[in-house]
């Protein structure tokens, strides 16, 4: 299994930036991809961005393309989410997730980190 711990959330004004980190431990060698999801109050959890562990291929939700960048540091077993030009609608709890195969859903989740963007 893999354990995930997020950090880096906080309060920021609209137009500002934050960088989230997700540190993975445990059976990290078998990770296929990691991703960020978010859940705003009263809404369902939604996909934000993903990255494959070995090849570094990335994917983004349309709502964050051009503003957010996902990256990884394999040596540190850490995935980052650089968030620029933040908007109030980006306010949510952000979760890191991992999976061992592209055939599987994301089965491993962190505890979440709150991001609040004030207008």
């Amino acid at each position: 299994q893999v354990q995930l711990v997020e950090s880096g959330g906080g309060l920021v004004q609209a137009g500002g930036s934050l960088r989230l980190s997700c540190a993975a431990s445990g059976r990290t060698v078998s990770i296929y991809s990691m991703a960020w999801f978010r859940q705003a109050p009263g809404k369902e959890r939604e996909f934000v961005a993903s990255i494959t562990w070995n090849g570094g291929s990335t994917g983004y939700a349309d709502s964050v393309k051009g503003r957010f960048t996902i990256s990884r540091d394999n040596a540190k077993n850490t995935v980052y989410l650089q968030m620029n030009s933040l908007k109030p609608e980006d306010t949510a709890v952000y979760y890191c997730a991992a999976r061992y195969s592209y055939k599987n859903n994301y089965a491993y989740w962190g505890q979440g980190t709150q991001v609040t963007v004030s207008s």
Side-chain angles (χ1 to χ4, degrees):
Q1 290 190 348
V2 61
Q3 293 78 44
L4 305 172
V5 178
E6 302 101 332
S7 60
L11 173 64
V12 64
Q13 288 188 335
S17 299
L18 280 175
R19 189 178 80 155
L20 306 183
S21 299
C22 175
S25 61
R27 195 163 66 95
T28 60
V29 66
S30 299
I31 292 175
Y32 171 75
S33 67
M34 293 182 66
W36 289 94
F37 291 76
R38 67 186 182 186
Q39 187 167 20
K43 295 187 177 182
E44 294 186 354
R45 188 175 298 185
E46 65 175 1
F47 168 80
V48 176
S50 65
I51 187 166
T52 57
W53 200 242
N54 291 326
S57 297
T58 59
Y60 296 91
D62 287 343
S63 59
V64 307
K65 279 183 182 177
R67 299 189 299 123
F68 290 10
T69 302
I70 189 170
S71 63
R72 83 225 189 276
D73 184 334
N74 292 52
K76 296 182 178 180
N77 289 330
T78 300
V79 170
Y80 304 97
L81 185 68
Q82 178 66 44
M83 306 185 294
N84 299 328
S85 303
L86 283 162
K87 304 175 182 179
E89 51 264 43
D90 294 318
T91 295
V93 177
Y94 283 70
Y95 297 91
C96 177
R99 60 179 176 175
Y100 287 129
S101 169
Y102 70 93
K103 297 179 181 179
N104 298 338
N105 293 328
Y106 286 92
Y108 302 96
W109 295 83
Q111 81 287 355
T113 185
Q114 176 71 45
V115 172
T116 303
V117 184
S118 63
S119 58

